[in-house]
Amino acid sequence: MHKLSDFDYSLPKELIAQYPADVRDSSRMMVLDRKSGGISHKKFFDFPGYVKKEDILVLNNTKVINVRLIGRRITGGRTEIFLTEKIQNRIFRALLKPSSRIRERDEVIFDNSDLKARILAKKEGNNVVEFIYPGPDLDKELTRIGSVPLPPYIKRSAEPLDKDRYQTVYAKREGATAAPTAGLHFTKEILDRVQGLGSRVTYVTLHVNYGTFAPVKTEDLARHKMHSEEFELSKSAADDINDVKKNDGRVFAVGTTAVRVLETCATKQYSVQRTAYGVEAKSGKTDIFIYPPYEFKIVDVLLTNFHFPKSTLLMLVSAFAGRELILKAYAEAIHEKYRFFSYGDCMLII
């Protein structure tokens, strides 16, 4: 059984991408063949060449909210509220700065807005904030006054370009506090090329939250408590995916978030000839933790970025392709100076 230390590797800091590629589909794309172990180096605009007409592409259409808010406490003092997870419509978990000066029941106001925040709970790692807002669309107001929630390893403040580039071109359903980064490489033209082949494209929703950056703190992976994320797989998407599976097409999951939805919704589908897996329409929260030796039921091909050492995301891709092969591929990516993490390059695992 694997341990946390089995998923460690050494990454030069200069390979952590601080900005996106100049053009979305100009990112580099490593292609990793699970059967042969072969590695090839492409550009993302080559991606449609790997999709066949009987396949289906599954993308996560979550939309990132601008959840880094700067205000001031009514009692005085600048306050930063970084929303990490939506609990209910107007209640969020959050990081607070300066943490030592903020108290439960403190209220925070924001310039040029009727929005007000109240600190409901102040605990290490579990601060809870409620928003009071007279308007009907809180998310829209958060987007207006907030800034883009760049990950902690991007060592700069958000800039105007991030409003566009830290969002997929197909983002639709607001609720994420971090981007589904494998989708950042897509352009409308790439999606048109995939559909022009006769391939299907469908969407699931998983609202990525800050828990995706949470470190694993136990060497025994079975003891790790996975963060949960809100998801939805519609009946129309489930029908399309099941039709492709029945006809021996491949399911392309774009990102680990799409994988988590698909594998959460996997269900046995019986026929006279065989027992196979399909998906059922579902919504709710998933805390599925995928690590070796997990048996994938739905996903056949995975597009993903390069992930943090010892992260649950690295464990997921290692379950899909094998730990040794993934670490070999990562070593190759480092040697070839690929760009890592959210704004970095990608890997297509076939």
Side-chain angles (χ1 to χ4, degrees), residues 22-36:
D22 290 341
V23 180
R24 286 181 186 265
D25 62 4
S26 68
S27 298
R28 297 169 75 187
M29 181 176 73
M30 174 182 285
V31 181
L32 180 63
D33 189 313
R34 289 188 288 167
K35 290 183 179 177
S36 70

Side-chain angles (χ1 to χ4, degrees), residues 65-74 79 81-83 89-92 106-119 129-147:
I65 312 169
N66 291 349
V67 293
R68 183 175 178 267
L69 307 167
I70 305 296
R72 65 183 187 279
R73 299 188 298 286
I74 291 176
T79 300
I81 300 176
F82 193 115
L83 307 179
N89 187 35
R90 292 173 182 249
I91 299 176
F92 291 77
D106 274 355
E107 292 190 347
V108 180
I109 56 177
F110 304 91
D111 290 342
N112 304 313
S113 176
D114 295 328
L115 184 68
K116 185 187 294 184
R118 180 182 295 127
I119 311 303
V129 175
E130 178 184 25
F131 288 101
I132 298 97
Y133 183 60
D137 195 338
L138 173 63
D139 286 346
K140 187 175 181 179
E141 184 65 2
L142 292 175
T143 296
R144 186 183 75 82
I145 69 168
S147 60

Side-chain angles (χ1 to χ4, degrees), residues 105-303:
R105 295 186 294 278
D106 274 355
E107 292 190 347
V108 180
I109 56 177
F110 304 91
D111 290 342
N112 304 313
S113 176
D114 295 328
L115 184 68
K116 185 187 294 184
R118 180 182 295 127
I119 311 303
L120 295 185
K122 176 78 187 330
K123 297 178 182 176
E124 183 66 34
N126 191 24
N127 305 310
V128 180
V129 175
E130 178 184 25
F131 288 101
I132 298 97
Y133 183 60
D137 195 338
L138 173 63
D139 286 346
K140 187 175 181 179
E141 184 65 2
L142 292 175
T143 296
R144 186 183 75 82
I145 69 168
S147 60
V148 178
L150 294 178
Y153 46 76
I154 293 181
K155 304 298 184 183
R156 61 177 177 83
S157 298
E159 299 176 20
L161 69 89
D162 297 305
K163 288 188 177 181
D164 173 54
R165 296 300 301 274
Y166 196 64
Q167 198 84 265
T168 64
V169 297
Y170 47 81
K172 184 177 181 181
R173 301 188 62 186
E174 293 181 330
T177 59
T181 56
L184 298 179
H185 307 283
F186 282 87
T187 62
K188 288 184 172 66
E189 291 74 20
I190 292 286
L191 291 171
D192 288 344
R193 284 173 59 194
V194 170
Q195 290 178 301
L197 298 167
S199 311
R200 301 192 210 193
V201 174
T202 194
Y203 299 90
V204 298
T205 302
L206 185 137
H207 291 316
V208 193
N209 63 42
Y210 203 76
T212 193
F213 303 117
V216 179
K217 296 180 179 179
T218 172
E219 184 70 8
D220 180 1
L221 300 183
R223 296 178 61 193
H224 175 65
K225 173 66 175 160
M226 189 71 176
H227 66 282
S228 64
E229 292 166 314
E230 186 181 345
F231 78 93
E232 181 177 354
L233 175 65
S234 68
K235 185 178 185 305
S236 61
D239 288 345
D240 282 344
I241 293 163
N242 289 336
D243 191 46
V244 166
K245 295 294 279 187
K246 287 175 185 174
N247 289 288
D248 295 323
R250 296 173 300 168
V251 174
F252 278 64
V254 176
T256 59
T257 59
V259 172
R260 296 187 74 210
V261 174
L262 292 169
E263 296 297 316
T264 294
C265 297
T267 181
K268 283 185 178 179
Q269 308 220 333
Y270 300 96
S271 66
V272 175
Q273 292 85 6
R274 60 179 179 173
T275 300
Y277 280 94
V279 293
E280 58 180 336
K282 279 186 181 179
S283 63
K285 286 200 166 189
T286 179
D287 62 356
I288 188 171
F289 180 21
I290 297 175
Y291 60 97
Y294 180 85
E295 180 184 343
F296 284 80
K297 302 165 185 69
I298 306 300
V299 179
D300 301 299
V301 180
L302 172 59
L303 178 75

Side-chain angles (χ1 to χ4, degrees), residues 13-53:
K13 289 183 179 179
E14 63 268 20
L15 296 184
I16 300 174
Q18 299 298 305
Y19 285 91
D22 290 341
V23 180
R24 286 181 186 265
D25 62 4
S26 68
S27 298
R28 297 169 75 187
M29 181 176 73
M30 174 182 285
V31 181
L32 180 63
D33 189 313
R34 289 188 288 167
K35 290 183 179 177
S36 70
I39 294 172
S40 56
H41 304 285
K42 304 288 184 178
K43 292 281 192 176
F44 187 72
F45 52 67
D46 297 314
F47 173 80
Y50 291 89
V51 186
K52 300 176 182 177
K53 66 178 182 179

